[in-house]
Amino acid sequence: MRGIERTALPANVWHLLRRNALERPEVAWLDFFEDADVLTYGDAADAIARTAAALAGLGIGRGSHVAVMVHTSRHYPLTWLALAALGAVTVPVNYGYTPRELAYMLDDSQAEAIVIAADLVPVLEAIEGPPRLGRDRVVVVGADLAGYPHRLERLTAEARADERLLGTFELDQPMNIQYTSGTTGMPKGAVQTHRYWLTFGRVGAAQFQDRLRRMLIAQPFYYVDAQWLALVAAWQGATAFVARRMQASRFLEWMRTHRIEYCNFPEVVSRQPPRADDHMDHLVVMSCYSHRPENYRVYESRYGGLARQGFSMTEVGCGLYVPMEADHMTGTGTVGIPVAFREAMVADAEGRPVPDGEIGELCIRGAGIFAEYWRKPEATRAAFHGDWFRTGDVARRDADGWFWYLGRRKDMVRRAGENVSAVEVEQVLRGVPEVLEAAVLPVPDETRGEEVKAYLRLVPGASGDDALLARVVAHCEANLARFKIPRYLTWVEDFPRTPSLKIRKSDLIAAAPDLRVGSYDRVERRWR
């Protein structure tokens, strides 16, 4: 993979797309299969150029900040990439946001316009206080609305592409302000440049040996995942099949129907009953982030492709990966070695590397990581040791250079002098067939400093009775050292979540003054 560092990147993302349009205009790039809507590379470049001309006609250009709040369809990637071609900056907005959340995004990002689905305009209109944007700065997608003069489809149909508007800037021009989930406060906007996105896409293609021709995107485009995979496909001239939304019950059907070679595989999909046609000869590789280590070999046997772990995040893109050829590391729990353009180390609180085998904070550096947190210089400074980005994640490295992810820095339980990784305990808990999701937290304890508590969400139809509780405890005793076994356990119907659907543990902690109340105490064998 390191060889790609010697190859120059295109001048910007538009140049990558234009090159594909010239070399393979008839090849399908994005196939929105549920809508029978296929964009070839040639179609996409033409539509991007016309969309860019339409937006330029509204005064949007280099450096403009534009929020995009659109459902998964051709309009999201075309708008995103049209803005990129102009040198403007996209602010992706979760289409599930409330008026309060949307108001924060518009204010913090200093958006001067918004492209928004017609059915989401009421969210914009419900924002309290003075309007954030005049109606002439709102571009509606999907329908004509009274009082809103600009509809994207009409503007684009009437526009004439002008190559002179496109790609007249360099790699370090900002392209996105991508907001993080905000698990411990209001979201921060990571400024991502064209270099970030080109590097992210190039490394993604290279880690799978540039072999992929048919990929599945089941994540919404307001996350980095779908944007990244669209560019991974573009680097290889591949086709990405795009679902409207993630549906675990249909995921394997999509893979079979479209002969998918690569996907980001959700662990919950594996809970479906085995079928005779589970094994897919066309499947090459699956990304399986933070799955239980014992599942990787099972996946490879059951589904046919390689199962690979890695480490990515909004601020750095791809950071670590397990190479396809590293079969001896499958299922070991490692998140791999640094990808091209990246270095990684495990550091102490002062940013000094710790010896191999010791636990510390994972730090990453290299060309094309995010530029800054938008309008938050103190947060930006705090996020770095020099040029090393502090991921906030706990890790260790072995003597051979392989890294192990142990959880968020604040996602550890310190029990009687022992560090307990919440991620490890959660993986073990999900090994119980009835457990769909798990969240592990520290509970203050006078004797041991902290004790381990587990919140368990069960699969539909499962009963949280004493028999299941006994099986959970027995499973933990068989798979965890005694100091890691949760002392306190409780059932939940669902979890509080961030906008990206991650479990918001801060809300669980704040839900009660005493987290022991309402829990089963494994040591005292009673419900508190």
Side-chain angles (χ1 to χ4, degrees):
M1 177 187 275
R2 288 287 170 183
I4 66 174
E5 296 176 345
R6 297 188 293 272
T7 304
L9 296 171
N12 49 58
V13 168
W14 167 247
H15 284 241
L16 171 66
L17 302 172
R18 188 171 181 274
R19 184 176 73 192
N20 272 306
L22 294 173
E23 293 177 355
R24 49 182 68 86
E26 302 303 321
V27 173
W29 176 32
L30 300 176
D31 185 336
F32 298 89
F33 55 89
E34 293 172 288
D35 300 315
D37 182 17
V38 179
L39 275 172
T40 67
Y41 282 99
D43 293 338
D46 178 67
I48 290 166
R50 286 186 290 106
T51 304
L55 295 172
L58 301 179
I60 293 168
R62 182 171 178 174
S64 299
H65 292 187
V66 181
V68 180
M69 190 177 186
V70 179
H71 303 289
T72 298
S73 69
R74 66 162 51 202
H75 298 298
Y76 209 117
L78 292 180
T79 302
W80 173 51
L81 295 168
L83 291 167
L86 290 170
V89 181
T90 295
V91 182
V93 181
N94 186 321
Y95 51 67
Y97 270 1
T98 64
R100 179 190 64 80
E101 292 162 320
L102 176 57
Y104 172 79
M105 296 282 279
L106 295 176
D107 290 342
D108 189 74
S109 68
Q110 297 180 312
E112 62 188 65
I114 185 171
V115 179
I116 185 169
D119 65 312
L120 299 174
V121 170
V123 180
L124 179 65
E125 294 178 332
I127 293 175
E128 296 181 357
R132 264 53 177 187
L133 299 168
R135 292 193 171 197
D136 62 333
R137 308 307 293 163
V138 177
V139 180
V140 178
V141 176
D144 289 307
L145 294 182
Y148 291 91
H150 305 311
R151 179 176 174 183
L152 183 66
E153 296 93 325
R154 184 174 59 252
L155 292 175
T156 301
E158 295 171 354
R160 298 185 64 179
D162 185 349
E163 284 280 342
R164 295 172 299 178
L165 296 171
L166 309 177
T168 58
F169 48 85
E170 303 304 322
L171 278 168
D172 293 315
Q173 171 67 23
M175 184 168 153
N176 279 35
I177 299 178
Q178 189 80 38
Y179 280 81
T180 61
S181 296
T183 56
T184 57
M186 296 304 290
K188 300 188 294 291
V191 177
Q192 301 162 333
T193 64
H194 283 251
R195 187 189 302 275
Y196 170 100
W197 282 107
L198 286 169
T199 302
F200 198 0
R202 183 68 194 96
V203 166
Q207 70 175 302
F208 305 122
Q209 302 176 346
D210 296 314
R211 289 175 53 186
L212 306 177
R213 292 296 175 266
R214 302 173 70 86
M215 305 165 60
L216 178 62
I217 298 177
Q219 299 81 19
F221 272 92
Y222 52 76
Y223 292 146
V224 295
D225 306 63
Q227 299 169 69
W228 169 61
L229 289 174
L231 292 180
V232 171
W235 269 108
Q236 302 168 94
T239 301
F241 294 83
V242 185
R244 288 194 203 116
R245 62 184 179 87
M246 171 63 192
Q247 295 184 67
S249 61
R250 299 188 62 196
F251 200 89
L252 293 173
E253 171 195 333
W254 293 338
M255 292 175 68
R256 287 187 287 265
T257 300
H258 302 292
R259 298 190 62 78
I260 297 300
E261 297 174 355
Y262 167 83
C263 66
N264 188 338
F265 189 77
E267 189 174 39
V268 66
V269 172
S270 68
R271 296 297 184 89
Q272 295 182 33
R275 286 178 32 161
D277 56 356
D278 275 348
H279 194 277
M280 293 171 266
D281 293 337
H282 48 84
L283 184 60
V284 176
V285 61
M286 302 170 284
S287 289
C288 305
Y289 296 109
S290 297
H291 291 213
R292 290 180 290 125
E294 63 267 26
N295 277 356
Y296 288 76
R297 293 290 186 192
V298 174
Y299 295 162
E300 292 185 347
S301 174
R302 178 175 174 182
Y303 302 115
L306 299 176
R308 288 294 179 266
Q309 173 69 296
F311 178 88
S312 298
M313 64 186 306
T314 299
E315 288 86 348
V316 302
C318 288
L320 303 166
Y321 80 122
V322 176
M324 290 177 66
E325 62 272 20
D327 186 67
H328 64 294
M329 301 305 291
T330 301
T332 62
T334 181
V335 291
I337 57 178
V339 300
F341 302 101
R342 295 287 176 268
E343 298 176 73
M345 73 167 175
V346 178
D348 62 17
E350 284 71 46
R352 298 174 301 221
V354 302
D356 288 339
E358 291 192 11
I359 293 173
E361 183 178 13
L362 177 63
C363 298
I364 294 175
R365 69 179 177 186
I369 67 173
F370 84 118
E372 62 177 333
Y373 290 119
W374 176 247
R375 299 174 63 202
K376 291 179 173 57
E378 292 185 4
T380 302
R381 285 192 295 271
F384 285 87
H385 287 305
D387 60 349
W388 288 95
F389 175 69
R390 305 175 61 188
T391 66
D393 293 309
V394 178
R396 63 178 175 85
R397 191 185 79 161
D398 71 13
D400 295 321
W402 295 89
F403 288 79
W404 269 260
Y405 170 78
L406 302 175
R408 296 295 293 168
R409 193 154 43 95
K410 297 179 181 180
D411 204 14
M412 301 286 287
V413 180
R414 182 74 171 172
R415 183 187 183 277
E418 299 277 6
N419 286 318
V420 180
S421 164
V423 170
E424 179 188 10
V425 179
E426 288 161 0
Q427 288 175 340
V428 169
L429 288 165
R430 294 199 306 271
V432 178
E434 294 89 348
V435 176
L436 184 62
E437 289 183 293
V440 167
L441 294 175
V443 172
D445 183 84
E446 292 182 1
T447 303
R448 296 174 180 83
E450 291 178 339
E451 270 289 4
V452 182
K453 178 175 180 178
Y455 295 76
L456 305 176
R457 179 185 173 213
L458 304 181
V459 299
S463 174
D465 54 21
D466 290 346
L468 177 55
L469 200 59
R471 287 199 299 277
V472 169
V473 171
H475 182 75
C476 289
E477 290 174 341
N479 291 279
L480 292 169
R482 291 200 61 81
F483 68 88
K484 299 179 184 179
I485 299 172
R487 173 170 179 172
Y488 304 107
L489 301 101
T490 192
W491 316 116
V492 295
E493 290 294 324
D494 201 354
F495 289 105
R497 299 184 187 273
T498 70
S500 57
L501 301 183
K502 296 177 183 176
I503 297 171
R504 195 189 293 271
K505 292 187 176 182
S506 57
D507 285 7
L508 293 174
I509 293 173
D514 187 344
L515 297 182
R516 297 172 299 177
V517 175
S519 301
Y520 177 76
D521 186 330
R522 177 181 56 84
V523 175
E524 297 185 3
R525 298 184 181 181
R526 66 182 179 93
W527 287 89
R528 285 178 171 264

